[in-house]
Amino acid sequence: MFKKSLLFLIVLTLISCHATKSPIVTTKKGAAGNNSYSSKNKKTTKGRREIIESSSRTVVTNDNVSNYVLQYKDIAMSNMKNYGIPASIILAQGILESGAGRGDLAVSANNHFGIKCHSDWTGDSVKHDDDSSQECFRKYNKVAESYRDHALFLKGKGRYASLFELDKDDYEAWAKGLRKAGYATDPKYPDKLISYIERYNLAQYDAQVLGNKRVSKENRNTSIADRRSINEEYYEVQKGDTLYSISKKYNLLVDDLKEKNKLSDNTLFVGQKLKVN
């Protein structure tokens, strides 16, 4: 009996040694982040994490988004000069549509704006699940080509013509106009763009293109009391203030405001005195 039991255990061991490995299972879009991190990456990645959902579901950190902005801000400003699209809108769309450059289409096709093939596209393409299964998306050799094609796409489609009648420093109107013209079906699309513009101070790049002395719509509507305060040398931070809101009030770039006050990041506290002149 003992010999039979021993033989049985040996057979089981041999079978398990020659068993095939379990197949790798991939999840569909939306079931899990396409760029999920290993435990090692979680330790080394800095900043608060968030999920960007566009043509793919992408996990990013504040640092990922900030680095994306630094990498492509010059292209965005150049496109603003050449095509009249606010740099803030270009960058915000790039962040959202590409998952800050980490989404599936950005990685596989250098497509940073989620632009589909359409009937007039003659370039390379890739298949990707979006509103429907395996839809056709444009593929580019370089990211800069995607940025240029985005500008040409907006300029060349009649449904976006009304956007170019808007003020170049009115990013809120542009964000809402894109949704209204049919760029995206998500009803929260404008809010998402505006959120990225304000959280990462993207309007400063519009100001750089338009010139530091250009007065924003908000400043044109300030009261006499507000205009007097603009002549003050210091500003005391109030609850709800951000560097961006203060920079608009005093017609400054965020970077200039940070340099004046030797700030290393965007953190503010109530009662803090900031030099504004």
Side-chain angles (χ1 to χ4, degrees):
M1 184 67 183
F2 175 75
K3 290 183 177 179
K4 288 183 179 180
S5 298
L6 181 60
L7 180 62
F8 180 71
L9 288 173
I10 293 172
V11 171
L12 281 179
T13 301
L14 290 173
I15 291 173
S16 64
C17 288
H18 290 82
T20 58
K21 294 182 179 179
S22 299
I24 297 173
V25 179
T26 57
T27 56
K28 292 183 179 179
K29 180 185 69 173
N34 289 327
N35 288 318
S36 58
Y37 297 109
S38 67
S39 58
K40 179 180 179 181
N41 285 335
K42 285 181 181 178
K43 293 178 181 178
T44 58
T45 303
K46 297 180 180 179
R48 183 176 63 82
R49 293 172 60 187
E50 65 176 286
I51 294 174
I52 296 178
E53 295 206 42
S54 52
S55 55
S56 61
R57 193 168 184 261
T58 311
V59 180
V60 301
T61 67
N62 292 341
D63 288 347
N64 295 147
V65 179
S66 296
N67 290 336
Y68 182 89
V69 172
L70 290 175
Q71 188 170 2
Y72 298 113
K73 64 182 178 64
D74 291 333
I75 296 178
M77 287 191 288
S78 175
N79 280 8
M80 182 176 180
K81 293 175 184 176
N82 293 330
Y83 302 104
I85 305 165
S88 60
I89 287 291
I90 296 171
L91 289 168
Q93 282 197 280
I95 293 167
L96 179 57
E97 297 288 349
S98 77
R102 298 166 65 85
D104 290 349
L105 282 174
V107 172
S108 65
N110 286 321
N111 188 331
H112 280 229
F113 296 92
I115 300 180
K116 297 179 182 179
C117 293
H118 302 289
S119 59
D120 57 346
W121 178 247
T122 58
D124 293 335
S125 63
V126 295
K127 298 293 184 181
H128 181 75
D129 291 348
D130 192 44
D131 296 326
S132 301
S133 175
Q134 294 297 285
E135 292 189 79
C136 183
F137 284 84
R138 302 183 182 191
K139 182 178 181 181
Y140 309 94
N141 292 322
K142 299 178 181 179
V143 175
E145 294 176 10
S146 177
Y147 268 73
R148 181 174 181 273
D149 192 45
H150 168 259
L152 294 175
F153 182 79
L154 293 184
K155 289 288 287 186
K157 300 290 183 182
R159 58 180 170 156
Y160 299 115
S162 61
L163 292 174
F164 295 90
E165 298 174 3
L166 301 171
D167 289 341
K168 299 299 182 288
D169 59 355
D170 194 349
Y171 60 80
E172 291 186 5
W174 274 80
K176 294 172 183 176
L178 282 166
R179 166 74 175 86
K180 185 177 180 180
Y183 194 98
T185 56
D186 182 1
K188 294 183 179 180
Y189 193 78
D191 293 335
K192 292 177 180 178
L193 295 182
I194 293 168
S195 174
Y196 283 119
I197 290 170
E198 295 184 348
R199 284 162 56 195
Y200 293 94
N201 305 313
L202 303 184
Q204 65 177 301
Y205 304 116
D206 299 339
Q208 286 187 41
V209 173
L210 296 171
N212 292 350
K213 294 183 179 180
R214 183 179 177 91
V215 180
S216 69
K217 181 176 68 174
E218 180 178 310
N219 283 336
R220 288 198 296 269
N221 296 329
T222 54
S223 65
I224 294 175
D226 287 334
R227 292 181 186 277
R228 286 201 195 102
S229 71
I230 291 175
N231 294 321
E232 297 172 357
E233 187 175 359
Y234 288 92
Y235 173 79
E236 184 174 332
V237 176
Q238 307 295 314
K239 184 177 180 180
D241 279 340
T242 64
L243 282 177
Y244 175 69
S245 67
I246 297 170
S247 70
K248 288 189 73 175
K249 183 179 181 65
Y250 290 93
N251 201 25
L252 294 168
L253 295 177
V254 171
D255 287 345
D256 291 341
L257 188 58
K258 290 172 72 173
E259 184 177 349
K260 282 177 181 290
N261 293 278
K262 302 187 185 310
L263 300 176
S264 59
D265 55 34
N266 296 342
T267 303
L268 297 176
F269 58 86
V270 174
Q272 181 177 3
K273 296 289 184 69
L274 294 179
K275 188 172 183 179
V276 292
N277 275 328

